[in-house]
Amino acid sequence: MTKHCRSAVLTAAFAGAVTLLAGCGSGSTADSSSTSTGAGVTSVKVGTSPTLTNASLYLAMEDGTFTEHKLKATPQVVNSGAQALPLLLNGQIQFTAADPMGAINAIKQKMPVKIVGQGSVNTSDPAKDTTVLVVGSDQIKKPSDLSGRTVAVNALGGLAQIAAQAAIDVKGGDSEGVRFVEMSFTQMVAAVESGKVDGAVLNEPFVSQARAAGLRDLMPVMSTTIPTVPNIVYLTSESYAKSHPEVVKEFAASLDEANATLGSDPEKVRQVAQKSTTTGADVLAKIILPTFPDKPLKRTPLDSLQTLMVKYDALDAKIDLAPYLLTAQS
């Protein structure tokens, strides 16, 4: 797929989200599901998915962190940004998790959202990178050997593809010569084993599954190109941020505390994940765990991501994120 086509895919996806939002009415109902439950406690709903990257959200619900900040958070499972954004802007949920590229593109599309916090982040340690490009053929020994080959990613034009392209180029290959195809994570290991594709960009627990199947790591991806960039950011609507600034502040502070706890205690990540994901304890004991930050969200990593998005044609030009980051540092 050409750069132009990848950009068109991404643009179309967000145009669809805009269309959904347009049919959802104005922001006048933005506070409809945020309620005070007595003793100054505010109930909020948070769009999320049951993944390891969101473990800090679930920890804050379980260990009393949200309670200490006068919040009662209830998770609402969402499958995509296209599903979450209308709920957010209509006030049916007050916060939602989103991948950082999706958040940046939503802002680019003039959607009235603000970024308030983060979940796990990409590590700078290659040995702890949970995103790996794996291959099956012994003929592929280095990134330059991928020229003319096919690599599977979970979403064309998405974060995994852009990071993989950058990593291939950084490591001496030529990403222009690689054909990327879209495939679900659950299909990738078998596809590489059978030769249907030559490689795949996998996240845990699929990286561990690939290694167990005899596939080889060609290179870590995220640590090579976008270390410290969040895997997940949390959004709120502009109207909710204006009407409930203290709630937003306390929500962000709760996430920061939970992130710091998980960052210092990997075993706690496994304990939370046994309840918040469908990953079994035996798998959780073996996989590489995500990295959780000990500091609040910063703008610099997101700007680094924007640089890659522009380079690989997923964004036409960088935007100033400062007005959209409510709690981030420079």
Side-chain angles (χ1 to χ4, degrees), residues 3 9 12 29 47 71 85 87 93 100-101 127-128 134 142 144 163 168 184 204 226 236 245 254 260 301 328:
K3 286 184 178 181
V9 168
T29 60
L71 297 176
L85 286 169
L87 298 175
I93 58 177
M101 275 185 59
K128 295 180 180 179
V134 304
K142 53 188 182 299
S144 58
I168 289 168
S184 69
E204 286 286 24
I226 48 175
T236 192
S254 299

Side-chain angles (χ1 to χ4, degrees), residues 1-17:
M1 176 174 276
T2 66
K3 286 184 178 181
H4 173 76
C5 288
R6 289 194 300 270
S7 181
V9 168
L10 200 57
T11 300
F14 279 89

Side-chain angles (χ1 to χ4, degrees), residues 49 52 72 164 195:
S49 58
L52 285 168
K72 180 182 179 182

Side-chain angles (χ1 to χ4, degrees), residues 33-34 42-46 71-74 94-95 240 247 251:
S33 295
S34 177
T42 300
S43 293
V44 295
K45 291 183 180 179
V46 186
L71 297 176
K72 180 182 179 182
T74 302
Q94 285 66 56
F95 302 94
Y240 193 79
V247 173
F251 181 81

Side-chain angles (χ1 to χ4, degrees), residues 10-301:
L10 200 57
T11 300
F14 279 89
V18 172
T19 300
L20 282 171
L21 293 172
C24 290
S26 70
S28 60
T29 60
D31 304 337
S32 61
S33 295
S34 177
T35 58
S36 294
T37 60
V41 176
T42 300
S43 293
V44 295
K45 291 183 180 179
V46 186
T48 186
S49 58
T51 65
L52 285 168
T53 56
N54 289 325
S56 52
L57 172 69
Y58 289 93
L59 175 63
M61 289 188 293
E62 291 177 8
D63 72 354
T65 299
F66 278 133
T67 302
E68 291 175 4
H69 287 269
K70 302 296 184 180
L71 297 176
K72 180 182 179 182
T74 302
Q76 181 165 328
V77 175
V78 292
N79 297 318
S80 66
Q83 179 187 8
L85 286 169
L87 298 175
L88 184 72
L89 297 192
N90 268 342
Q92 292 168 275
I93 58 177
Q94 285 66 56
F95 302 94
T96 189
D99 76 87
M101 275 185 59
I104 289 168
N105 275 287
I107 291 168
K108 183 72 173 180
Q109 294 284 344
K110 307 297 184 183
M111 296 183 190
V113 296
K114 302 286 188 179
I115 301 174
V116 302
Q118 63 186 342
S120 67
V121 299
N122 292 309
T123 181
S124 58
D125 183 351
K128 295 180 180 179
D129 199 331
T130 59
T131 304
V132 179
L133 200 164
V134 304
V135 296
S137 172
D138 291 336
Q139 296 179 5
I140 305 174
K141 301 182 183 299
K142 53 188 182 299
S144 58
D145 295 332
L146 288 173
S147 291
R149 307 273 188 169
T150 300
V151 173
V153 292
N154 67 312
L156 289 174
L159 183 60
Q161 179 180 337
I162 287 172
Q165 287 177 277
I168 289 168
D169 292 338
V170 166
K171 294 294 186 179
D174 180 8
S175 64
E176 287 286 346
V178 180
R179 178 174 175 259
F180 290 92
V181 296
E182 187 169 308
M183 186 177 295
S184 69
F185 285 125
T186 56
Q187 297 175 312
M188 288 184 189
V189 172
V192 177
E193 282 186 293
S194 67
K196 183 177 179 179
V197 296
D198 299 293
V201 181
L202 293 171
N203 295 329
E204 286 286 24
F206 302 102
V207 173
S208 293
Q209 291 179 15
R211 291 168 179 164
L215 304 185
R216 295 182 297 104
D217 293 8
L218 185 66
M219 62 178 176
V221 173
M222 301 300 185
S223 60
T224 302
T225 55
I226 48 175
T228 74
V229 169
N231 300 125
I232 290 292
V233 295
Y234 287 87
L235 306 178
T236 192
S237 67
E238 189 175 274
S239 60
Y240 193 79
K242 288 180 179 178
S243 61
H244 292 77
E246 283 302 312
V247 173
V248 172
K249 179 181 176 181
E250 297 302 324
F251 181 81
S254 299
L255 289 177
D256 289 341
E257 289 179 23
N259 281 330
T261 297
L262 294 176
S264 64
D265 187 356
E267 188 55 37
K268 182 70 71 174
V269 180
R270 294 187 174 91
Q271 292 172 5
V272 173
Q274 286 185 44
K275 298 178 182 178
S276 66
T277 76
T278 58
T279 307
D282 55 335
V283 175
L284 288 169
K286 300 174 183 177
I287 64 174
I288 300 172
L289 296 173
T291 297
F292 289 88
D294 60 0
K295 293 180 175 62
L297 174 66
K298 292 186 176 183
R299 186 175 72 243
T300 303

